[in-house]
Amino acid sequence: MNTIILATDGSSYSDAAARYLVGSSLLNRDFTVHVVHCAPDVTGDVQAFVGKAEIDAWHHEESGKAMRSVVEILTAGKVAFECHELTGHAAEKIIEYAVKSRAEAIVMGSHHRGQLLDAVLRSVCGRIIADAPCPVLLV
């Protein structure tokens, strides 16, 4: 089975990417969409006062919220998918997951803030485009 990664941050831009996948011919082969969300690591200060179980529960809750709308879109479109929760730096973890899963493509919604702001912030999309092991489709 072939893998397409749909990276989501819970935004309307991610929903647009999911709607694109449902309506496009990109999925005309034997693909499974791997919906991924990456929650940031918590700082050492937080880890000192909050237990691992509570942090893990928070990551799970945040990922569930972020994936909810794209999961609804894929379900309505009868697209096969799996959900995966990642923790850490988003671009790095998504690229690692793409390598591990031998992804055929990464699909993402772009916030399109503009070249100057993206250059200053080093956007997640920009980092993934630069280092991805497969084609990246920005919607």
Side-chain angles (χ1 to χ4, degrees):
M1 178 127 346
N2 296 303
T3 299
I4 292 179
I5 294 174
L6 173 59
T8 182
D9 60 2
S11 69
S12 61
Y13 304 100
S14 296
D15 292 351
R19 282 191 290 278
Y20 175 82
L21 282 176
V22 168
S24 80
S25 60
L26 186 62
L27 294 177
N28 63 358
R29 298 189 315 174
D30 187 25
F31 282 108
T32 297
V33 175
H34 288 230
V35 178
V36 299
H37 173 260
C38 190
D41 280 326
V42 296
T43 66
D45 293 338
V46 172
Q47 291 176 357
F49 294 102
V50 180
K52 182 178 178 353
E54 290 87 0
I55 293 171
D56 290 346
W58 177 79
H59 281 137
H60 179 69
E61 181 180 343
E62 291 302 305
S63 288
K65 288 179 198 174
M67 291 189 276
R68 184 173 297 125
S69 60
V70 297
V71 163
E72 290 171 357
I73 292 165
L74 296 174
T75 300
K78 296 182 175 42
V79 172
F81 68 90
E82 301 174 2
C83 292
H84 301 275
E85 300 172 4
L86 309 175
T87 304
H89 183 270
E92 179 182 304
K93 294 299 181 177
I94 291 168
I95 290 167
E96 284 177 13
Y97 188 82
V99 169
K100 182 177 96 177
S101 66
R102 297 182 182 172
E104 298 290 326
I106 299 170
V107 179
M108 303 175 67
S110 174
H111 290 251
H112 195 65
R113 290 179 278 242
Q115 291 178 343
L116 178 60
L117 190 55
D118 278 347
V120 172
L121 296 177
R122 285 276 295 149
S123 74
V124 171
C125 288
R127 291 177 188 180
I128 290 174
I129 288 169
D131 297 326
C134 58
V136 177
L137 173 63
L138 296 181
V139 178

